[in-house]
Amino acid sequence: MAHGDRDALVRCLAAVVEHTPEDVPLVVCDGPEDRLSLPRPVLWADTLDEALAIAAPADVALLSDRTVVAEAWLDGLRDAAASDSLVATATALSNHAGFLSVPVRNRPHRQLPQTLTLDAAASRLRRQALRVRPVIPVAMDHCVLIRRSALELAGPFDDIAAFSARCVLRGLRHVAADDVLVLHAAEPGAPEEAGAGDPALTPLLAEARE
């Protein structure tokens, strides 16, 4: 959910509005009191549970407010989530996402190289990705698509780790969307190598209807 960093939320929402189809409803969870004026309708929710209820019965894509998306991000998450009927979640790669960090796994970096923009890096990844959808042990909250069937089977989305574990106990899988790259800013004060994504869930849900 939003952490009170208005600038970060503005960057997140601007990228989502630019790179998400207009027929996809957007919900902002726990946004600032002076709610932003955006060039498309946005719903606001006080809690994550309320936001998930608003999005029902659709799948949902959850983003941290410190995440910036690029072109085709939602299509890539949808394709990864639909790659197998047992997939519960699909998580994007990022510069700062623990074991899903690129270009080196387990080595988060606060920014992309200065010579490379997010759009260019994301486009390059889409062209070169093998789309093997590797199974990962846990979903990560910087940018993840959650299938509604998993929410119904595994119960409330109270905590990313707890929800992920309940999915696995029920025979479901978490996968990496290995053709989706997003930019994710580390929480202020976090060590460069630490973290597996932002610990708080999650400011924005993009309803991921097929």
Side-chain angles (χ1 to χ4, degrees), residues 5-103:
D5 186 339
R6 181 184 176 89
D7 291 340
L9 181 60
V10 168
R11 288 191 295 270
C12 174
L13 289 174
V16 170
V17 169
E18 179 180 359
H19 296 300
T20 306
E22 291 188 0
D23 63 343
V24 175
L26 304 180
V27 183
V28 177
C29 179
D30 195 20
E33 292 184 3
D34 53 337
R35 294 180 174 182
L36 307 172
S37 177
L38 296 172
R40 60 179 291 181
V42 174
L43 301 173
W44 296 81
D46 293 329
T47 67
L48 181 58
D49 286 339
E50 181 182 344
L52 291 170
I54 291 173
D59 298 345
V60 291
L62 277 64
L63 299 175
S64 162
D65 59 357
R66 298 189 179 101
T67 296
V68 179
V69 300
E71 183 179 357
W73 72 280
L74 186 56
D75 287 341
L77 290 180
R78 283 170 165 168
D79 290 345
S83 61
D84 189 285
S85 61
L86 294 179
V87 171
T89 69
T91 305
L93 307 181
S94 180
N95 60 296
H96 199 283
F99 61 83
L100 290 182
S101 298
V102 292

